[in-house]
Amino acid sequence: MSMNEIYNQMLSAYDLQTEQQRRNATFEVNQQIILAGLYNGGFFDEAAFYGGTCLRIFHGLQRFSEDMDFSLLAPNNSFDFSQYFQPIIDQFAIVGREVEIKKKEKKSFGKVESAFLKDNTDVYDVSFQTEKSIKIKIEVDTQPPLKFNTEQKLLLLPESFMARCFTLPDLFAGKMHALVYRAWKNRVKGRDWYDFEWYVRHNVPLDFTHLQERVWQFNHEEIGRESFLDKLNERLATSDITQVKADVMPFLRNPKETDIWSNDYFLQLAQMIKFG
């Protein structure tokens, strides 16, 4: 198979009728190539993939996702992600693409954001010569909350490889932390709500031990189940559902999925959470 054929084969798996669909598909193909490069560089010996993009690529979540989140398996202040730049660049070269990877300079964040984007989260941008509007942000937590489990997940393109991922109960814990504690300049992130619905619908138990670790490390709070559920219910009851829907809409294959969404709908979902 020629260089561009692999890339085009990967793209052809998607519905590409609209500009937004093509953009979403391009993001996802590029994300998978980044994962293959990281695998070839040995990155998954010391780190794991988590977050919405992990759920999308490995568990069939029906929404697209842009950023890539990784956690080291153990704290390491001297971790240097730049050693993985070349394997990623090489992987793109195999499919006829040129990329540039840059470390983003640390900005000062507001209180809420710095509680979420800790000082020890390194951020990188992967940008593309041919698609100027596509930029994939990679975040690596070098001092991660621990007490999580991982598993090896298989992808077949651009070549067969395994990526180490958080297990579903721990992915769920990360998402619930985001849903309850993330308030980006009062902007609701509807993608968090969409994913929450997915976990409940798929009967995934919530790893509360890992959630407690995340809350302690990011927010310096000790939290029990009751107080967590109180905070969650308050967030679900008071958020503007119109805003929630508007945020997630560009990433959905089937926007009608959100027709049933209301504050009450999500409060009922919260009653269905199973703790693991």
Side-chain angles (χ1 to χ4, degrees):
M1 211 181 280
S2 76
M3 293 196 300
N4 274 323
E5 266 182 82
I6 299 172
Y7 195 86
N8 291 335
Q9 182 192 346
M10 291 175 76
L11 264 185
S12 69
Y14 300 89
D15 188 346
L16 304 171
Q17 290 174 39
T18 69
E19 194 51 48
Q20 184 69 46
Q21 285 171 329
R22 175 165 281 278
R23 179 180 166 78
N24 287 339
T26 303
F27 258 100
E28 190 157 311
V29 167
N30 289 332
Q31 287 161 348
Q32 291 176 49
I33 295 168
I34 289 170
L35 290 172
L38 289 172
Y39 167 80
N40 287 329
F43 177 69
F44 293 113
D45 295 337
E46 59 179 332
F49 190 25
Y50 75 100
T53 307
C54 180
L55 195 62
R56 162 77 193 148
I57 290 174
F58 289 105
H59 297 282
L61 179 73
Q62 291 296 295
R63 74 158 177 91
F64 287 94
S65 184
E66 293 180 336
D67 301 341
M68 302 180 79
D69 298 304
F70 298 95
S71 166
L72 295 189
L73 302 178
N76 180 0
N77 274 332
S78 59
F79 174 76
D80 179 14
F81 187 69
S82 66
Q83 64 187 302
Y84 301 106
F85 287 6
Q86 199 57 49
I88 294 172
I89 291 164
D90 292 346
Q91 194 66 50
F92 276 101
I94 290 169
V95 297
R97 289 285 186 283
E98 264 188 72
V99 296
E100 184 180 28
I101 309 172
K102 281 189 179 149
K103 184 169 184 176
K104 288 181 81 165
E105 292 311 309
K106 291 268 164 62
K107 296 189 182 111
S108 59
F109 294 100
K111 248 191 183 161
V112 174
E113 286 165 285
S114 61
F116 215 83
L117 253 187
K118 298 180 305 178
D119 290 342
N120 39 32
T121 300
D122 292 339
V123 184
Y124 304 85
D125 280 332
V126 182
S127 51
F128 301 85
Q129 297 245 303
T130 43
E131 298 110 356
K132 294 293 184 202
S133 69
I134 302 280
K135 187 178 281 186
I136 294 173
K137 186 169 77 175
I138 294 174
E139 290 183 17
V140 183
D141 193 343
T142 58
Q143 293 288 316
L146 300 177
K147 299 187 183 173
F148 59 83
N149 297 298
T150 65
E151 58 184 344
Q152 299 286 344
K153 301 293 286 181
L154 173 66
L155 276 186
L156 300 178
L157 287 171
E159 59 188 35
S160 292
F161 69 94
M162 294 275 194
R164 184 193 292 271
C165 300
F166 276 39
T167 60
L168 280 170
D170 292 308
L171 287 168
F172 192 9
K175 184 52 62 177
M176 295 316 289
H177 177 242
L179 180 58
V180 172
Y181 286 89
R182 169 159 43 202
W184 296 96
K185 303 183 180 71
N186 298 320
R187 186 174 75 85
V188 174
K189 194 168 178 188
R191 283 159 276 177
D192 290 342
W193 295 57
Y194 185 89
D195 298 0
F196 166 47
E197 178 192 46
W198 187 95
Y199 285 111
V200 175
R201 177 178 287 146
H202 287 80
N203 231 7
V204 176
L206 172 64
D207 182 346
F208 196 69
T209 303
H210 180 56
L211 177 59
Q212 286 175 306
E213 283 289 298
R214 295 191 84 80
V215 173
W216 173 248
Q217 187 151 334
F218 284 96
N219 311 97
H220 310 296
E221 271 180 46
E222 285 188 29
I223 194 164
R225 286 189 192 184
E226 293 303 313
S227 53
F228 162 70
L229 287 170
D230 287 346
K231 282 177 183 285
L232 173 63
N233 286 329
E234 186 187 358
R235 172 57 59 97
L236 298 176
T238 57
S239 295
D240 180 343
I241 289 293
T242 312
Q243 253 191 325
V244 172
K245 286 188 183 186
D247 174 80
V248 77
M249 215 48 90
F251 299 93
L252 296 187
R253 283 182 166 173
N254 175 19
K256 287 189 75 63
E257 282 185 273
T258 64
D259 286 357
I260 193 172
W261 284 19
S262 67
N263 296 88
D264 182 57
Y265 173 67
F266 281 99
L267 286 166
Q268 291 202 35
L269 283 180
Q271 292 172 18
M272 299 177 182
I273 293 174
K274 292 186 171 67
F275 288 91

